[in-house]
Each structure stands twice: as structure tokens, then as C-alpha cells.
């Protein structure tokens, strides 16, 4: 049985989705540097979810993180590790900042494919 070399395989939809989430997280980081008050808005939204007892693991992680300094939040949100991926899959800034322009969303998807 041969083990597939991850560097030799074609990117999967999961790979592309994760690259897209990372690109969006970097965009959110840029916006947060200009509008740090959005951290408090995110903290309020996440606290409400946590308060219901229905929060996911990622939302609980965000709840703990949003009290930290902005540079730490950005570092964690854009980390290329399991916690970073978990944070990106539950990112409260996707609602607060988002990417509503269809053309911009499509471009982000194309950019993610190129990265893979």
C-alpha cells in the first residue's frame, strides 16, 4: 500500500474552503485594525450564544479569545494550525464584516484556488 504524498495531490474542496477562510480572516484582520470596536460587538454576540449553553467549541474558544489584545486575536485567527482552523470555521466577524459583494466573494474563491 502506498501513502499518497500530500504535496503531489490535487487540492480538495476542503483545501480550497480553508484557503478561502484564511483569505477572509486576513481581510477581517485588516478591517479590525481600522475598526477595533468590532471586537466588542463580536464579544457581545458570542457571549449571548455562550449564555444559552448552546455554543460550539469554536464559539467558546472565541469567547475566551475576544478579551485579549487585538494583535493576539488576529494572530490566533490567522494561525495555520488546528485552533486557527477552528476559529475561522466559527468566525464572528463573518457576520459583522463579511463579504457581501458577489464579485469580491468570487474573486476570493478564485484566489483561494490559485493558492492551492
Amino acid at each position: 500500500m502506498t501513502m499518497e504524498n500530500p504535496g503531489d495531490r490535487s487540492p480538495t474542496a476542503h483545501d480550497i474552503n480553508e484557503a478561502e477562510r484564511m483569505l477572509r480572516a486576513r481581510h477581517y484582520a485588516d478591517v479590525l485594525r481600522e475598526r477595533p470596536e468590532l471586537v466588542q460587538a463580536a464579544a457581545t454576540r458570542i457571549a449571548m450564544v455562550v449564555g444559552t449553553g448552546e455554543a460550539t467549541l469554536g464559539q467558546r474558544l472565541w469567547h475566551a479569545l475576544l478579551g485579549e489584545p487585538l494583535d493576539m486575536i488576529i494572530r490566533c485567527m490567522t494561525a495555520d494550525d488546528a485552533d486557527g482552523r477552528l476559529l475561522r470555521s466559527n468566525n464572528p466577524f463573518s457576520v459583522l464584516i463579511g463579504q457581501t459583494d458577489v464579485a469580491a466573494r468570487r474573486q476570493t474563491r478564485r484566489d483561494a484556488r490559485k493558492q492551492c
Side-chain angles (χ1 to χ4, degrees), residues 1-75:
M1 177 176 199
T2 343
M3 294 292 290
E4 181 180 66
N5 180 351
D8 293 338
R9 66 175 175 77
S10 296
T12 65
H14 177 79
D15 297 330
I16 295 167
N17 288 340
E18 180 50 37
E20 188 175 8
R21 283 189 200 108
M22 179 65 89
L23 289 171
R24 286 204 176 104
R26 289 178 181 146
H27 168 70
Y28 302 155
D30 291 342
V31 172
L32 289 172
R33 286 184 188 100
E34 293 176 16
R35 297 185 55 205
E37 70 276 7
L38 291 173
V39 172
Q40 183 56 50
T44 300
R45 292 175 71 98
I46 289 291
M48 288 178 10
V49 174
V50 169
T52 68
E54 301 293 323
T56 64
L57 177 59
Q59 289 166 326
R60 291 191 309 268
L61 186 58
W62 272 111
H63 187 252
L65 180 60
L66 288 169
E68 298 297 323
L70 182 59
D71 63 329
M72 170 69 91
I73 293 168
I74 290 171
R75 253 193 331 272

Side-chain angles (χ1 to χ4, degrees), residues 89-109:
S89 71
N90 292 272
N91 199 324
F93 300 112
S94 65
V95 173
L96 295 170
I97 300 169
Q99 196 174 37
T100 57
D101 180 62
V102 173
R105 281 199 317 265
R106 287 181 180 152
Q107 185 60 51
T108 300
R109 186 71 175 180

